[in-house]
Amino acid sequence: MSIGNILSKSSDWLRGDGPHHHIVVTSRIRLARNLAGVAFPGRAKAAERVDVLEKIRPKVESLPEMVDAVSLACQDLSPVDKLLLVERHLISREHAAKKAGAAVVMNRRQNLSIMINEEDHLRMQSIRSGLQLRAAFKAINKVDSELEQQLDYAFDSNLGYLTACPTNVGTGMRASAMVHVPGLVLSEQINQIVQAVNKIGLAVRGLYGEGTEALGNLFQVSNQTTLGEKEEEIIDRLHKVILEIINHELNARQVLLHNKPNTLLDHVGRSYGTLRHAYSMNSKEALNHLSFAKLACDLGFYGDAQRHAIDELFIETQPAHLQKGSQQRLATDERDVLRAEIIRSKMASFAPPDLESVLVREKEARGGAKKEPPHGSGAGEEPSGTDFF
Amino acid sequence: MLCDVCKAQTASVFLTQIVDGKIQKVNLCDPCSKEKGVTDPTGFALADMLFGMGAAQQIGANIGSEGVRCPQCGFTQAEFKKTGRLGCSVCYVTFAEPLKELLKGMHKGLRHIGKCPERLRLTQERDSALRQFHDDLRAAVVEEKYEEAAALRDKIRALELSGGVKGD
Ligand SMILES: [Zn+2]
Ligand SMILES: [Zn+2]
């Protein structure tokens, strides 16, 4: 299978059918492994990296999980294709820049990708829609167990799996969930959450943008420590924290609806207007408006088909995806025009969200005295994106 | 200004560190600073210990003396400092001492308790079973329990041939 074949299909996780997918976009597990007796890729000479590639690649390609896979050497890929894979979370930005010996093998559904000669000899990733950390681990753990029978891993009985960076030594595992939390951002609770989560050994970073700036209200939560704990313990801790974040986010939205409905509706309404009527939009602006379109879906204004369209736009409006769909090389301003055009056409059938009805309902709720306090629901219940309304 | 740790005594040691690109200030009183090993040059991960923040950027920033070279890949501590990465798996042995301090501040423990490659696990189980049988055999001989000794010798031979532990 060629790269064109695989990239013409959208990624499996984009179907957005996992548990809690309204707030948790994806769950990912990455395992880092190295071969014993060979320098790590950053230290190895080009010839050594090529040796490692020749040793690992056939084993990876013959995995039962990879029957319909595409296997690509980084130096055979065009810059646009590489960036495209980065935008789909299939390879890292660092890996895209690598040359001799660097390759990636991924399955057709794009929920399993294995980078060879990234920072470590093997970086294996499994990605799922929604909150499915355990399922993602199960999948990648199986692949790892199959590979360990054929490859001699660098493993120390005290330190576990040895990795190029000491921050990964031990399990070599990074578990992460991408969450969409406009409620926490609007109600300015996000910094508190970030600090609380940091304290228990988890990291939170904005998905797009530098440092703590988070575009599209998207954050990635992941474990920071890899040594001294079992894989399952790390995953359970992260899973629990994500459930907490879901509850906080749902609460924040509800409180906003009760206390500052106009603030919330203003964001949703303006984003709708901009997405439907703009003729030039940069990537940052698109992400932020798409975030509120996604929120509009959660608020019940749109159905599954529209939600899917919005989710796809998050990926399709990234620079390489725009470039790939175009015949000639696009300058930045041309990309902004194309981005706006794609969004307009995809959202052409979106009726304006009935924001007024929300205000009416809120007014009624407040008028009907002794209603439940705004904090009431959410806690203890199974959180979901629609029933809090 | 009060100490960030005990929140009782006046701080006399002020630390500033860059963590994830952000400046963090930590203020400590004299006893707390000693207890947290601030005077120790390898106690670099102080902010981490206090706040549990990541320290990827700081790796190697306070690693001790220069000059040691990894016999396998030729990596030096200076290179480690610069890149924050190790050169090969033997580097973990070469730089074991300074790494220990680093790992202590970075992780939940110093010992891996998670997954282990199956082949290695089997070998380890076999080795420890063999050791046990040999101990038992020695004891049996001393106590002149020759029948038991013979049985143990058979078990040892079988285990050495099989290359794995037979389930009980
Ligand atoms: Zn103190
Ligand atoms: Zn080395």
Side-chain angles (χ1 to χ4, degrees):
Chain A
M1 190 181 303
S2 76
I3 180 159
N5 266 332
I6 224 161
L7 291 177
S8 63
K9 290 184 43 136
S10 67
S11 307
D12 215 34
W13 55 264
L14 250 177
R15 277 194 321 206
D17 50 5
H20 306 297
H21 69 265
H22 295 178
I23 290 174
V24 186
V25 183
T26 57
S27 297
R28 276 198 278 175
I29 306 281
R30 178 272 278 157
L31 297 178
R33 300 288 186 256
N34 285 284
L35 300 189
V38 195
F40 299 141
R43 181 68 179 171
K45 295 183 180 71
E48 289 176 298
R49 288 201 303 272
V50 171
D51 276 353
V52 166
L53 176 67
E54 281 168 7
K55 198 180 272 179
I56 295 179
R57 195 174 182 174
K59 314 274 192 227
V60 170
E61 288 171 350
S62 59
L63 287 168
E65 287 82 359
M66 290 296 190
V67 279
D68 57 358
V70 58
S71 174
L72 306 158
C74 286
Q75 50 190 359
D76 296 340
L77 286 170
S78 71
V80 172
D81 283 342
K82 279 194 259 196
L83 192 54
L84 220 124
L85 294 174
V86 173
E87 289 173 1
R88 290 202 185 184
H89 311 296
L90 289 165
I91 64 172
S92 62
R93 217 164 269 280
E94 292 72 32
H95 199 53
K98 297 254 158 60
K99 289 194 177 77
V104 59
V105 182
M106 59 199 160
N107 67 350
R108 191 192 179 87
R109 298 168 72 190
Q110 299 166 49
N111 59 15
L112 183 68
S113 75
I114 298 184
M115 287 180 272
I116 303 169
N117 281 319
E118 208 251 19
E119 182 182 298
D120 297 296
H121 293 141
L122 275 161
R123 285 277 179 109
M124 315 180 252
Q125 173 193 267
S126 155
I127 183 164
R128 291 283 182 280
S129 157
L131 182 57
Q132 298 199 70
L133 291 164
R134 287 162 190 153
F137 176 68
K138 203 176 158 198
I140 203 67
N141 190 43
K142 181 168 176 284
V143 167
D144 178 52
S145 295
E146 282 157 358
L147 285 177
E148 74 174 26
Q149 291 172 22
Q150 311 172 57
L151 298 168
D152 193 12
Y153 283 161
F155 183 88
D156 177 87
S157 53
N158 269 312
L159 290 176
Y161 295 96
L162 301 176
T163 52
C165 185
T167 52
N168 294 318
V169 76
T171 60
M173 183 184 79
R174 190 77 60 213
S176 65
M178 195 207 297
V179 292
H180 178 240
V181 288
L184 293 175
V185 174
L186 278 184
S187 61
E188 293 174 352
Q189 293 180 67
I190 190 67
N191 285 334
Q192 258 171 282
I193 300 274
V194 168
Q195 279 172 21
V197 170
N198 272 332
K199 275 194 183 127
I200 53 170
L202 300 174
V204 185
R205 53 181 73 87
L207 182 70
Y208 302 103
E210 294 298 309
T212 48
E213 186 195 20
L215 301 178
N217 301 311
L218 289 163
F219 292 84
Q220 184 150 298
V221 189
S222 62
N223 63 305
Q224 286 196 335
T225 60
T226 52
L227 184 60
E229 258 183 312
K230 287 189 172 151
E231 288 84 353
E232 291 81 2
E233 291 169 350
I234 295 171
I235 287 169
D236 279 355
R237 192 151 42 96
L238 184 60
H239 181 90
K240 279 186 197 132
V241 166
I242 299 297
L243 284 179
E244 291 269 324
I245 290 177
I246 294 171
N247 269 329
H248 280 289
E249 169 65 17
L250 292 178
N251 261 321
R253 290 180 190 181
Q254 207 177 27
V255 171
L256 280 168
L257 274 174
H258 280 259
N259 299 346
K260 295 178 176 175
N262 288 310
T263 307
L264 190 72
L265 297 177
D266 186 57
H267 278 284
V268 173
R270 279 171 189 269
S271 289
Y272 173 80
T274 309
L275 292 166
R276 281 292 308 276
H277 301 293
Y279 276 75
S280 171
M281 201 183 294
N282 66 32
S283 175
K284 185 174 171 175
E285 203 185 352
L287 284 168
N288 287 333
H289 288 310
L290 286 170
S291 166
F292 287 105
K294 195 170 163 63
L295 180 63
C297 297
D298 294 353
L299 293 174
F301 293 123
Y302 299 111
D304 282 347
Q306 285 100 330
R307 171 187 295 281
H308 187 65
I310 298 287
D311 285 344
E312 278 184 342
L313 280 174
F314 272 96
I315 302 293
E316 286 168 5
T317 56
Q318 297 284 309
H321 277 78
L322 293 175
Q323 182 60 61
K324 188 73 181 173
S326 170
Q327 301 306 322
Q328 71 271 21
R329 175 125 193 89
L330 297 172
T332 311
D333 53 338
E334 292 170 318
R335 264 207 314 260
D336 292 350
V337 168
L338 180 61
R339 181 178 292 114
E341 190 184 316
I342 287 173
I343 294 173
R344 278 200 321 275
S345 82
K346 202 152 191 169
M347 291 182 66
S349 64
F350 279 51
D354 185 9
L355 303 175
E356 223 25 59
S357 68
V358 177
L359 277 185
V360 170
R361 228 175 307 174
E362 283 307 313
K363 223 170 274 171
E364 278 170 5
R366 236 170 302 180
K370 285 169 199 101
K371 279 273 172 182
E372 295 153 44
H375 289 275
S377 98
E381 295 166 21
E382 192 69 343
S384 108
T386 45
D387 69 2
F388 73 93
F389 208 139
Chain B
M1 192 178 288
L2 286 180
C3 166
D4 286 331
V5 173
C6 63
K7 305 209 166 37
Q9 302 194 55
T10 309
S12 59
V13 178
F14 308 96
L15 292 174
T16 304
Q17 292 191 313
I18 309 288
V19 176
D20 284 343
K22 282 192 301 190
I23 291 176
Q24 279 209 338
K25 292 204 163 80
V26 184
N27 311 308
L28 300 171
C29 69
D30 199 46
C32 286
S33 73
K34 289 215 172 79
E35 198 202 324
K36 292 282 173 188
V38 171
T39 47
D40 174 5
T42 54
F44 72 97
L46 188 76
D48 290 10
M49 290 181 339
L50 294 174
F51 300 120
M53 300 283 283
Q57 284 86 345
Q58 290 172 289
I59 291 161
N62 282 291
I63 283 239
S65 63
E66 312 286 321
V68 182
R69 230 170 225 288
C70 174
Q72 163 120 345
C73 73
F75 222 50
T76 63
Q77 295 196 3
E79 284 166 296
F80 181 40
K81 255 190 204 178
K82 214 172 91 192
T83 62
R85 304 290 186 274
L86 292 161
C88 74
S89 45
V90 177
C91 285
Y92 277 94
V93 181
T94 313
F95 307 114
E97 270 313 303
L99 265 173
K100 204 168 167 182
E101 285 305 316
L102 195 75
L103 294 172
K104 209 187 275 175
M106 205 178 268
H107 293 291
K108 295 239 157 178
L110 283 177
R111 203 184 155 81
H112 175 62
I113 56 168
K115 185 176 184 179
C116 169
E118 185 73 4
R119 263 188 300 173
L120 241 116
R121 198 176 58 76
L122 289 178
T123 318
Q124 279 169 0
E125 280 176 7
R126 175 170 163 265
D127 289 352
S128 73
L130 272 175
R131 237 174 288 133
Q132 186 62 51
F133 288 157
H134 277 292
D135 287 351
D136 293 350
L137 176 61
R138 230 169 288 132
V141 171
V142 169
E143 291 166 34
E144 303 188 350
K145 293 177 179 166
Y146 296 114
E147 244 169 79
E148 205 179 306
L152 281 164
R153 217 169 322 210
D154 289 346
K155 277 189 187 170
I156 288 170
R157 202 165 300 145
L159 200 55
E160 280 171 345
L161 284 174
S162 77
V165 177
K166 288 262 152 57
D168 286 349

